[in-house]
Amino acid sequence: MEKREFIPVCTPLLGGNEVKYVTEAVQDGWISSSGSFVTKFEEAFSSYCGVRHGIAVCNGTVAIHLALAALGIGKGDEVIIPSFTMIATAFAVCYTGAMPVFVDADKDTWNIDTTKIEAAITPRTKAIIPVHIFGNPCNMDAVTAIARAHRLFIVEDAAEAHGAEYRGKKTGSFSDIAAFSFFANKNITTGEGGMCITNDDNYDRLCRYYKNVCFPPDGPRTYSHDDIGFNYRMSNLHAAIGLAQTEKADEYRAMRRKNAALYKEQLAGCPGIIFQKDEAQALNVHWMNAVVIDPAAYGHTKDELAAHLKSKGIDTRLLFRSMARQESLRRYGCDCSGSYPVTDWLSENGFYLPSASSLREDDIAYICSVIKEFRK
């Protein structure tokens, strides 16, 4: 088996009008947050998600923070999040002064275990942040029912779920406000960037107000500021890339789904390789092709397999570490004493395989052959 030079975990696919639109922005001189591509991107992406308003920001973490700020979440409040997520979800809650409260993952889908959410609710709980992990939409029927019963806000963390669907509706359309990331490894990218989307006119106004250091969205700039805001604006250059990416969104979604299907097909007969299962009624966009290794069945640990893959020119990345195992959150005051066995199992035994939209079929075949041969 011939070693490949290098197959990275993920690289962006810039296969549309990116150069054309960025060049236009540069030639016109509109490179800050005031250019027309910001509005065009907001309108295109929110429309793609089936939502009325889009508010472009500088990254996905601040998109979550902005959503929480617009909803009035603050000190003394609690926000329920999954223990298995990227730490940005928790940090965004901390920025408001509120307290993240953790719920373990479901062993099959790896999303928040909706059967455990209600046990985490207290009189201080104000919101739930379901994270569509790796592009697999959460059980939004269950999340919505719980939120309505307890009068809680929903903020979807859809950072990894561009174009994913639940019961035929796009992620981002099930919440008061949803947050997306457009980091370079996302299915749709601007390099760095994010967006809040909402159907609520008032939340749209508040997001625009707070993201722009509390300048009035409609009115003269008197430089008198009534509230403390944030400089979370997206530049016209990043938005130009985002618009081009959104034009190709369905094509890139199909590529990720095809890659995931090939991985599952070619590793189906390899004991000890465990894939994430799709939620019922969901269309998973497979931001990352993550696997969990059962050492007893596979014959090697995830670290041993990762090292072997690296020796063959195949890059991997560890899965997220549990929020309850984060020293930063413990010092912040989070209750990290609970038991989160599924999250720990995922963190201890899983990693990402290469997942770029542009990954070639022969690269996937090579990766799978290395995994199967190492088991022997």
Side-chain angles (χ1 to χ4, degrees):
M1 188 187 309
E2 184 179 350
K3 175 183 173 181
R4 302 295 173 96
E5 184 174 342
F6 185 65
I7 304 175
V9 163
C10 199
T11 53
L13 177 55
L14 305 172
N17 288 313
E18 290 86 357
V19 173
K20 176 184 175 183
Y21 293 163
V22 170
T23 301
E24 182 180 326
V26 171
Q27 289 177 338
D28 290 345
W30 291 103
I31 60 172
S32 71
S33 59
S34 301
S36 64
F37 282 112
V38 175
T39 301
K40 290 177 182 177
F41 179 36
E42 290 174 336
E43 292 175 348
F45 187 75
S46 59
S47 176
Y48 176 70
C49 295
V51 173
R52 292 171 54 208
H53 303 294
I55 306 96
V57 294
C58 50
N59 61 61
T61 308
V62 305
I64 304 172
H65 178 216
L66 186 64
L68 294 169
L71 294 172
I73 305 297
K75 188 174 182 179
D77 296 335
E78 293 178 352
V79 178
I80 292 174
I81 70 170
S83 54
F84 185 59
T85 184
M86 203 274 184
I87 202 165
T89 311
F91 280 176
V93 177
C94 298
Y95 299 159
T96 70
M99 189 65 65
V101 175
F102 315 130
V103 171
D104 202 8
D106 176 85
K107 190 168 184 178
D108 292 328
T109 67
W110 309 350
N111 281 321
I112 191 168
D113 187 338
T114 56
T115 68
K116 296 180 179 178
I117 291 176
E118 288 195 288
I121 295 173
T122 76
R124 294 181 296 279
T125 306
K126 293 297 187 295
I128 305 171
I129 303 182
V131 179
H132 305 303
I133 203 75
F134 306 146
N136 189 17
C138 291
N139 179 348
M140 291 309 298
D141 285 346
V143 173
T144 300
I146 294 167
R148 287 177 177 170
H150 296 271
R151 298 183 179 181
L152 305 177
F153 294 116
I154 300 174
V155 175
E156 285 173 86
D157 182 342
E160 304 163 6
H162 314 73
E165 298 179 11
Y166 182 78
R167 293 191 182 276
K169 289 180 59 179
K170 295 280 197 340
T171 51
S173 64
F174 296 91
S175 48
D176 296 283
I177 309 175
F180 286 84
S181 167
F182 302 115
F183 185 62
N185 60 13
K186 298 300 191 293
N187 294 22
I188 295 175
T189 182
T190 59
E192 286 280 5
M195 192 176 294
C196 292
I197 65 172
T198 182
N199 276 316
D200 188 284
D201 293 347
N202 187 48
Y203 296 153
D204 172 58
R205 181 188 66 82
L206 288 169
C207 285
R208 294 187 187 283
Y209 175 62
Y210 283 118
K211 86 157 187 175
N212 195 23
V213 293
C214 291
F215 280 119
D218 301 305
R221 290 193 174 186
T222 63
Y223 292 93
S224 294
H225 300 262
D226 296 331
D227 298 289
I228 293 177
F230 322 106
N231 185 351
Y232 284 171
R233 299 181 295 253
M234 174 182 282
S235 80
N236 201 43
L237 296 175
H238 289 90
I241 297 171
L243 177 62
Q245 289 275 296
T246 304
E247 292 170 350
K248 307 276 281 185
D250 282 336
E251 180 180 336
Y252 294 165
R253 180 177 80 168
M255 295 169 80
R256 297 265 180 157
R257 285 175 54 77
K258 180 182 178 182
N259 289 345
L262 287 171
Y263 270 124
K264 289 181 178 179
E265 176 187 324
Q266 295 185 32
L267 291 173
C270 186
I273 304 295
I274 302 167
F275 286 95
Q276 177 188 40
K277 292 182 181 177
D278 293 352
E279 290 276 2
Q281 309 296 326
L283 186 148
N284 189 339
V285 293
H286 301 284
W287 167 61
M288 285 288 164
N289 291 291
V291 293
V292 173
I293 310 304
D294 177 355
Y298 183 70
H300 299 281
T301 66
K302 75 107 174 2
D303 292 332
E304 290 168 341
L305 175 55
H308 182 70
L309 289 168
K310 183 178 181 180
S311 75
K312 299 295 184 179
I314 301 166
D315 200 14
T316 61
R317 288 288 186 280
L318 298 176
L319 300 190
F320 303 132
R321 184 172 173 81
S322 173
M323 296 301 96
R325 310 289 176 252
Q326 302 289 345
E327 181 63 16
S328 58
L329 298 180
R330 187 192 66 78
R331 289 179 179 176
Y332 178 77
C334 294
D335 181 0
C336 297
S337 64
S339 175
Y340 305 92
V342 176
T343 300
D344 289 338
W345 171 72
L346 292 166
S347 300
E348 291 164 8
N349 297 289
F351 58 69
Y352 304 144
L353 295 170
S355 300
S357 298
S358 57
L359 197 64
R360 302 196 313 261
E361 288 189 28
D362 64 326
D363 284 334
I364 294 174
Y366 170 70
I367 294 164
C368 292
S369 67
V370 171
I371 294 172
K372 289 185 285 190
E373 285 295 320
F374 188 56
R375 181 181 182 273
K376 294 179 181 178

